[in-house]
Every structure is written in C-alpha cells, then in structure tokens.
C-alpha cells in the first residue's frame, strides 16, 4: 500500500506521511456494491466491549475453537496489543506468535492478510501484540486528517482500512472472528466497519454496562459505512447459575441499555476462577480441558460445566446467525 504526504493547513503547514487510502476507497465502493446486490455473505463476527475484563478474549478463543472443530475454516484475528490469544490457545513462544507483525504489515504496507498458522485444525490465527501500536498511531493520524476533508466519503474512508484487508481474503474462510481491544476507539470502528455481526460480552457491573453503551454509539457511526452490520446479541459473563431472578433483572437492564436493539443470549457463561486460570495456564479452551482425565476431580466437574456453557452458547449464536441469514434472503428476494 502506498504512502502519501498529506498537507494540513492551520496557522502553519505540516506534512504527515500516512497510508494512501485509494485502494481502501475502491474496496469500500466494491463491498457496498456487493451489499446492494445481496451477495455479501455474513462471515465476520466482531467480539467487542468498551471495557476490558468482561470475557472477550475467552469467548473469542472458545467460539473459534468450537466452530473449527465442526469442520468450518475459521480465521481468528486479535485486534489488541495485549496478544492474549497466544495464552488462550497455547501458542506463546511458537512461530504462530508474531506479536502482531503480520497484521501490521497488512494494514500499513498493503501486504495480504496472512495467518501465522493453525492453532488447531481449521483454526487459522492472526495474533495481536505490540506491533499494533504502529497501526493505532496510523489510525489516529488518519482520523485527524479526515477532519480537514470536505467530501463525506473521504472523511469516513479511514475507518475501512481493516475492511479492505479482510475483504481481500474473506473468501478463504467460513467464519472470521475479530477480537478487538476495549480501549481503542479507532480499532473498534475498524472492526465494526469490517464486521457483519457483533457479539458483546459483558458483566453486570455498572462499568461494564457503560462499556456496552459506548459500543452502541460506535456501532451507529460504523453503520454509515457498513449498513448490513447487526448485533447478534449480548453475552452475560461471570454469573451465578442459580441466581435466576438476578440474571433476569440483569437481562432487563442490559436490554434497556441498548433500547431493545439486541437481545441478551439465553446462555450465560458462569464464573469459575480455577477453571479460567487453568485454561490460560495450559493454553487450552474449556471444551478441550474438560476431557483431560488428569485434572483434579472437582476442577474437572467445573470445567465440564463451563465447557457446556460454551457449547450451548455456540449453538445459540449459530441459530441467531441463521435467522439473520434468512432475513437477508427474504430481503434480497423482495428487492
């Protein structure tokens, strides 16, 4: 991808060396055309919240592993400087862990978006890591430059840099999962513009619910470039399974936060601290560790229960996606 000098004039003139967005604009025009023709299949799931520590990385890794095990070709990309997926999937210190270099090369240099390898059969990974600091800096520059541009399409184009890179390879995969950092607005907008559906994990505390409302605002901005974007639903994390009344109250509050724009998934994910620690320590998702006969019996029971939550949630996600696909098909038929 070419870089260009952009002149910004205020009291004085400054020159910034930034990525040339010509190919991004062309890619955005093409994807909008495909959407209007009804041939843009829903493949990209964005796992997102405005707050960290709500189960986002755990959900992304477990969902990706579950879908890959069914035979689907899955691409899991972590748009986060922390690079937690290497711990979640046990790839730390291997050739699959590149600290975000492949992702940065695709966005900043126009190279193909290439996985570092397969963390599991059918599960292709593009890790996050510290190399994304350069990407974030670029996105902030592009956003700042956009404020000096009069043409609306050119003002918004910077938000489509990831969409352009992903669209070039989306035909290679059945499902693409984007796990996006909680505190970086430019990355979140990139993910939402590139995505077809979003999944929002959250806890019940006020801070997590505030993060949910932040996502809702960014969702509205992204839809200016991505009119097919839809909320799959909200996933309630770290709950007590026996607290039925409490869960129902939380569901009502979450639905109110989004004005009914998306439902709360029926399947919540329970909190099992020992299981969560074991998963990250061993680099395996709950569905994998639940089958380990060497686990302490008590931990294994907890792991099986957690794995059951994730299996049920995966089935529910697939069901909601199928309903969206059916709605798309009906809308295309009427058009």
């Amino acid at each position: 991808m070419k870089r260009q000098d952009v002149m910004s004039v205020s009291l004085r003139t400054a020159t910034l060396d930034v990525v040339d967005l010509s190919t991004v604009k062309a890619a955005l025009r093409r994807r909008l055309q495909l959407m209007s023709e009804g041939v843009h299949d829903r493949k990209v799931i964005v796992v997102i919240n405005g707050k960290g520590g709500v189960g986002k990385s755990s959900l992304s890794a477990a969902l990706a592993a579950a879908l890959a095990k069914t035979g689907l070709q899955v691409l899991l990309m972590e748009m986060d400087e922390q690079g937690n997926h290497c711990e979640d999937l046990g790839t730390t210190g291997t050739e699959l862990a590149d600290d975000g270099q492949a992702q940065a090369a695709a966005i900043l240099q126009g190279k193909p978006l290439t996985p570092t390898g397969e963390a599991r059969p059918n599960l292709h990974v593009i890790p996050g890591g510290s190399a994304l600091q350069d990407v974030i800096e670029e996105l902030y520059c592009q956003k700042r430059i956009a404020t000096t541009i009069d043409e609306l399409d050119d003002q918004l184009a910077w938000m489509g840099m990831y969409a352009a890179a992903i669209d070039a390879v989306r035909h290679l995969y059945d499902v693409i999962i984007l796990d996006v950092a909680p505190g970086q607005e430019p990355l979140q907008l990139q993910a939402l513009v590139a995505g077809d559906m979003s999944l929002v994990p959250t806890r019940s505390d006020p801070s997590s619910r505030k993060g949910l409302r932040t996502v809702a605002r960014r969702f509205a901005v992204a839809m200016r470039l991505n009119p097919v974007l839809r909320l799959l639903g909200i996933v309630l994390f770290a709950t007590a399974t026996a607290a039925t009344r409490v869960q129902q109250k939380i569901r009502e509050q979450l639905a109110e936060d989004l004005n009914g724009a998306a439902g709360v998934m029926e399947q919540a994910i329970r909190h099992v601290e020992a299981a969560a620690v074991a998963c990250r320590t061993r680099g395996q998702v709950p569905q994998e560790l639940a089958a380990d006969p060497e686990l302490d019996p008590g931990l294994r029971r907890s792991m099986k229960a957690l794995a059951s939550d994730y299996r049920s949630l995966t089935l529910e996600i697939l069901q909601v996606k199928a309903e969206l696909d059916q709605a798309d098909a009906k809308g295309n038929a009427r058009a």
Side-chain angles (χ1 to χ4, degrees):
M1 189 177 290
K2 296 180 180 178
R3 301 185 73 85
Q4 62 176 356
D5 289 340
V6 177
M7 306 300 290
S8 176
V9 180
S10 54
L11 295 178
R12 58 184 180 180
T13 300
T15 302
L16 294 176
D17 182 30
V18 295
V19 171
D20 183 351
L21 297 183
S22 298
T23 57
V24 172
K25 294 173 188 177
L28 290 174
R29 287 193 294 269
R30 174 170 171 74
R31 81 192 313 256
L32 286 171
Q33 179 63 33
L34 293 175
M35 289 175 186
S36 68
E37 295 172 357
V39 291
H40 181 85
D41 294 338
R42 293 189 181 276
K43 289 187 177 184
V44 184
I45 300 174
V46 181
V47 183
I48 186 171
N49 195 306
K51 179 186 179 298
V54 295
K56 182 176 56 61
S57 293
S58 298
L59 172 59
S60 299
L63 176 61
L67 294 174
K69 195 165 184 178
T70 69
L72 295 174
Q73 294 296 318
V74 179
L75 175 64
L76 174 62
M77 181 159 70
E78 184 179 14
M79 297 170 62
D80 195 326
E81 298 165 272
Q82 292 189 20
N84 289 331
H85 286 176
C86 289
E87 295 181 9
D88 292 325
L89 296 172
T91 60
T92 301
T94 72
E95 61 184 9
L96 273 66
D98 73 341
D99 203 29
Q101 294 289 343
Q103 188 176 158
I107 302 305
L108 300 178
Q109 301 171 31
K111 294 183 178 180
L113 195 57
T114 305
T116 56
E118 289 181 84
R120 305 288 189 274
N122 305 321
L123 175 50
H124 312 266
V125 293
I126 300 179
S130 63
L132 295 192
Q133 293 173 3
D134 291 338
V135 174
I136 293 167
E137 181 180 343
E138 172 74 23
L139 295 179
Y140 273 113
C141 288
Q142 293 283 358
K143 180 183 178 183
R144 196 169 297 116
I145 291 166
T147 63
T148 69
I149 300 173
D150 294 329
E151 182 64 36
L152 179 59
D153 289 347
D154 290 340
Q155 289 177 11
L156 301 177
W158 72 272
M159 292 190 292
M161 295 173 71
Y162 269 83
I166 290 170
D167 281 356
V169 300
R170 64 183 287 144
H171 64 285
L172 300 174
Y173 307 100
D174 300 304
V175 181
I176 299 172
I177 298 175
L178 307 180
D179 176 8
V180 57
Q184 298 291 350
E185 179 191 25
L187 278 178
Q188 290 203 338
L189 288 173
Q190 292 286 328
L192 290 170
V193 169
D196 305 310
M197 305 156 283
S198 65
L199 198 60
V200 185
T202 188
R203 296 177 184 242
S204 59
D205 61 280
S207 182
S208 296
R209 292 176 56 204
K210 182 179 179 181
L212 179 64
R213 292 190 290 271
T214 298
V215 168
R217 291 193 295 272
R218 291 172 183 171
F219 193 99
V221 173
M223 286 192 71
R224 298 170 70 181
L225 274 180
N226 187 9
V228 304
L229 180 64
R230 296 292 181 271
L231 276 168
L232 273 176
I234 303 164
V235 180
L236 185 57
F237 258 78
T239 65
T241 56
T244 306
R245 290 184 180 179
V246 174
Q247 280 200 27
Q248 183 56 38
K249 180 63 175 178
I250 294 170
R251 292 174 191 280
E252 292 170 359
Q253 291 173 339
L254 292 172
E256 182 180 344
D257 288 340
L258 289 181
N259 297 317
V264 181
M265 292 290 182
E266 286 296 322
Q267 181 60 59
I269 303 298
R270 72 192 71 203
H271 177 64
V272 186
E273 183 65 24
V277 171
C279 285
R280 187 150 282 183
T281 300
R282 298 182 181 223
Q284 293 179 283
V285 298
Q287 306 95 297
E288 295 168 334
L289 271 182
D292 186 347
E294 297 183 3
L295 281 185
D296 173 82
L299 177 58
R300 191 178 180 195
R301 284 193 297 272
S302 296
M303 195 70 73
K304 284 184 175 180
L306 186 58
S308 177
D309 288 351
Y310 276 114
R311 280 194 296 269
S312 296
L313 179 62
T314 299
L315 290 173
E316 188 175 358
I317 289 169
L318 289 173
Q319 181 180 355
V320 175
K321 180 186 179 301
E323 292 170 358
L324 278 176
D325 291 339
Q326 290 176 359
D328 289 342
K330 290 180 180 178
N332 294 334
R334 285 195 297 270

